[in-house]
């Protein structure tokens, strides 16, 4: 199990960049489900509202009605956003060995994974206490069973401090090797990042949840975020309920800059999941350098975003 960093992107000298991009928010007093609100915003503006910081939350409130109610914003809890702790790599529906009816998305907090002694996977709440299997990259023994009871996050921290990380499982052979060590349910590195993205696909870097939200009760449908128009606090509700909503738009006079990126990577750079990971790194790096109110997207040539560079003959 080779620990590979797909790409490291370093941007410098961006602190003086002026984007001249002004995001505008629009309140729509028409009750729709979250999905219908998303379609409306994309047809009439740009998308459902994205809020990246407190200033934007205040700006959103400036166009809110005086009456107290809830209105959709673009944040949603993506039930398929499973990742391995090792390398923060996407699960991407690769090898899995879930118990029947798992992962069970009806239970919102069940965002961490234990392997049973039979080798099957069970998604459970992360605060439970279990043993853990660490991955030790340089050692002769790759899989280390830690028989100390810990919650999932403490187990990850322990493995990262003492070894490499919580174990990832790529195939049935590895699954069998790991399960042979177990006598009870044990943490592995698979976990789900809750509320990871906005409707416009940008990563979630800011929240303003109301007390006791997001809720941790049993769910029967996907949950999406709304904002209290009087308080500015955020609430989560079933996406199928109807509410007013906020859209966002970018004025047509804003500047658009295009960049050509060059990567050396073993990954398939035309894989949508890999491209999303690159966008997240770019977004975080630009935010770090003080760039605000921007939107990133890929452009394609001949149906592809990335093309292999042709070698020139010497």
């Amino acid at each position: 199990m080779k620990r590979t960093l797909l790409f490291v992107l370093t941007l410098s000298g961006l602190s003086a960049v002026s984007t001249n991009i002004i995001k505008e928010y629009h309140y729509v007093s028409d009750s729709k489900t979250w999905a219908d609100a998303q379609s409306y915003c994309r047809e009439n503006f740009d998308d459902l509202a994205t809020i990246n910081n407190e200033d934007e939350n205040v700006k959103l409130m400036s166009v809110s009605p005086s009456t107290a109610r809830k209105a959709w914003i673009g944040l949603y809890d993506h039930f398929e956003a499973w990742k391995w702790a090792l390398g923060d790599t996407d699960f991407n529906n690769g090898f899995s060995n879930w118990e029947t009816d798992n992962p069970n998305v009806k239970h919102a907090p069940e965002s961490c994974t234990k392997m049973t002694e039979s080798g099957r996977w069970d998604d459970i709440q992360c605060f439970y206490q279990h043993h853990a299997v660490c991955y030790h990259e340089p050692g002769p023994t790759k899989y280390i069973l830690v028989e100390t009871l810990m919650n999932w996050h403490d187990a990850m921290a322990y493995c990262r401090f003492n070894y490499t990380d919580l174990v990832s499982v790529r195939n049935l052979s590895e699954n069998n090797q790991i399960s042979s060590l177990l006598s009870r349910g044990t943490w592995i590195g698979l976990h789900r990042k809750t509320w990871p993205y906005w409707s416009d696909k940008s990563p979630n870097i800011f929240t303003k949840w109301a007390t006791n939200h997001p809720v941790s009760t049993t769910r029967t449908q996907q949950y999406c975020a709304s904002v209290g128009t009087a308080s500015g606090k955020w609430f989560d509700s079933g996406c199928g309920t109807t509410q007013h909503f906020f859209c966002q738009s970018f004025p047509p006079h804003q500047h658009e800059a295009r960049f050509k990126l060059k990567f050396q990577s073993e990954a398939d750079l035309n894989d949508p999941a890999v491209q999303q990971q690159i966008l997240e790194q770019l977004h975080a790096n630009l935010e770090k350098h003080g760039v605000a109110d921007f939107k990133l997207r890929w452009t394609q040539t001949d149906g592809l975003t990335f093309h292999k560079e042709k070698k020139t003959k010497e």
Side-chain angles (χ1 to χ4, degrees), residues 167-186:
V167 72
S168 298
V169 188
R170 299 175 301 179
N171 51 55
L172 183 59
S173 175
E174 292 181 354
N175 200 85
N176 290 340
Q177 290 180 62
I178 295 165
S179 64
S180 69
L181 304 174
L182 311 184
S183 60
R184 54 170 293 165
T186 303

Side-chain angles (χ1 to χ4, degrees), residues 46-83:
D46 280 305
D47 214 318
L48 276 167
T50 295
I51 305 170
N52 290 317
N53 50 55
E54 178 62 29
D55 288 343
E56 290 187 356
N57 203 69
V58 171
K59 184 175 182 178
L60 184 89
M61 296 306 298
S62 70
V63 300
S64 298
S66 57
T67 55
R69 62 184 309 138
K70 296 176 186 176
W72 294 125
I73 53 178
L75 188 62
Y76 66 104
D77 193 10
H78 185 22
F79 284 144
E80 302 302 322
W82 290 92
K83 288 179 175 285

Side-chain angles (χ1 to χ4, degrees), residues 103-311:
N104 188 349
V105 298
K106 290 182 179 180
H107 302 287
E110 294 188 350
S111 300
C112 295
T113 307
K114 73 172 183 179
M115 181 185 288
T116 67
E117 56 270 32
S118 67
R120 302 303 295 273
W121 303 357
D122 183 17
D123 63 319
I124 61 173
Q125 297 186 47
C126 303
F127 64 77
Y128 284 114
Q129 304 283 306
H130 288 292
H131 296 169
V133 176
C134 300
Y135 175 65
H136 189 40
E137 185 173 20
T141 302
K142 300 295 184 184
Y143 306 128
I144 310 296
L145 176 63
V146 181
E147 296 182 282
T148 301
L149 294 176
M150 296 176 282
N151 65 46
W152 188 91
H153 291 94
D154 287 346
M156 179 180 67
Y158 179 92
C159 290
R160 288 181 172 179
F161 183 80
N162 294 282
Y163 301 103
T164 303
D165 212 323
L166 269 171
V167 72
S168 298
V169 188
R170 299 175 301 179
N171 51 55
L172 183 59
S173 175
E174 292 181 354
N175 200 85
N176 290 340
Q177 290 180 62
I178 295 165
S179 64
S180 69
L181 304 174
L182 311 184
S183 60
R184 54 170 293 165
T186 303
W187 292 125
I188 58 175
L190 190 61
H191 66 114
R192 184 175 71 87
K193 184 177 180 182
T194 58
W195 302 93
Y197 306 120
W198 292 88
S199 174
D200 63 5
K201 303 303 181 184
S202 60
N204 180 21
I205 58 174
F206 170 80
T207 58
K208 197 175 179 66
W209 293 112
T211 303
N212 297 324
H213 285 265
V215 297
S216 57
T217 55
T218 299
R219 296 181 173 181
T220 58
Q221 60 175 300
Q222 193 92 17
Y223 266 46
C224 297
S226 57
V227 63
T229 57
S231 66
K233 298 289 187 178
W234 301 3
F235 301 84
D236 58 327
S237 308
C239 302
T241 59
T242 58
Q243 300 181 21
H244 293 181
F245 52 97
F246 290 96
C247 300
Q248 68 183 20
S249 66
F250 298 89
H253 63 268
Q254 69 186 31
H255 295 297
E256 179 178 290
R258 296 193 177 194
F259 300 91
K260 185 176 181 180
L261 304 179
K262 184 176 181 180
F263 291 95
Q264 286 185 331
S265 173
E266 297 176 4
D268 178 6
L269 295 179
N270 285 303
D271 182 338
V274 174
Q275 292 182 10
Q276 180 63 36
Q277 189 178 356
I278 297 173
L279 282 182
E280 289 178 20
Q281 288 193 20
L282 282 166
H283 196 284
N285 220 316
L286 289 167
E287 288 272 359
K288 180 180 177 181
H289 287 83
V291 182
D293 288 331
F294 62 91
K295 188 174 183 179
L296 300 175
R297 63 183 178 88
W298 297 114
T299 59
Q300 293 187 341
T301 304
D302 298 329
L304 294 175
T305 302
F306 288 95
H307 298 263
K308 288 186 178 180
E309 189 174 56
K310 295 181 180 180
K311 294 182 179 180

